[in-house]
Amino acid sequence: MSTYFHLRAVHPSALRNSEHWFQRLFEDDWDTVRLRLDRHREEMLDRHYLEQDALYPGTDVVLGGTPIGPRPFFLLSAARAAETAAYLASADFEALWTQAKADPDLHDLFASAHRDLRAFYERTAEYGDAVVKCVVP
């Protein structure tokens, strides 16, 4: 079974302070998730998400945010999501890749994920949304 790291854009007024609400946020069927992925309203990283986080040290791109509950979920405010979008808009993937010294076999996968994350955060900032993150087995 694969583990995925999900990032989902949520309008700040829709956020609820309930672990049950956070869990339900990530229980949609695959077709619904795919639609959000296509519209850059949700993003998924595969089991390499910890290595991808190493590309962005000191940022909120992958694991950043306020931990919520024991699962844990991470919540990135709309303001921090906009800051992350600005960071990714100016980030040079090849420079990040060189500094991270990641597995060379993962270069193309990580470059693709970088483009997807940049598009996700750009759209999220455009709508003024927050980001909820979660590891989904």
Side-chain angles (χ1 to χ4, degrees):
M1 182 179 343
S2 296
T3 298
Y4 296 93
F5 192 75
H6 282 239
L7 300 88
R8 176 130 177 235
V10 178
H11 193 274
S13 67
L15 292 170
R16 300 292 176 260
N17 190 13
S18 158
E19 186 174 342
H20 179 70
W21 182 85
F22 281 93
Q23 285 178 319
R24 291 196 58 222
L25 193 63
F26 294 96
E27 292 179 350
D28 290 330
D29 64 83
W30 178 238
D31 290 333
T32 302
V33 171
R34 192 169 328 136
L35 288 172
R36 282 194 303 265
L37 289 168
D38 290 344
R39 295 182 333 209
H40 303 295
R41 305 303 293 143
E42 185 164 344
E43 190 53 55
M44 285 177 29
L45 301 175
D46 68 7
R47 62 186 169 84
H48 298 289
Y49 68 91
L50 292 174
E51 295 164 66
Q52 288 170 318
D53 185 57
L55 289 176
Y56 312 102
T59 72
D60 291 325
V61 174
V62 178
L63 291 178
T66 303
I68 306 289
R71 187 163 184 181
F73 297 95
F74 298 95
L75 175 61
L76 195 62
S77 70
R80 286 174 65 189
E83 290 170 5
T84 301
Y87 165 77
L88 285 171
S90 65
D92 175 5
F93 173 76
E94 293 303 329
L96 294 169
W97 178 259
T98 300
Q99 288 178 337
K101 299 180 177 127
D103 181 346
D105 292 336
L106 298 175
H107 179 274
D108 292 345
L109 175 70
F110 283 22
S112 176
H114 176 79
R115 288 188 299 272
D116 291 344
L117 285 166
R118 186 173 60 218
F120 168 77
Y121 277 109
E122 180 181 297
R123 178 67 51 92
T124 299
E126 180 182 314
Y127 285 111
D129 287 343
V131 176
V132 178
K133 306 174 183 183
C134 179
V135 174
V136 178

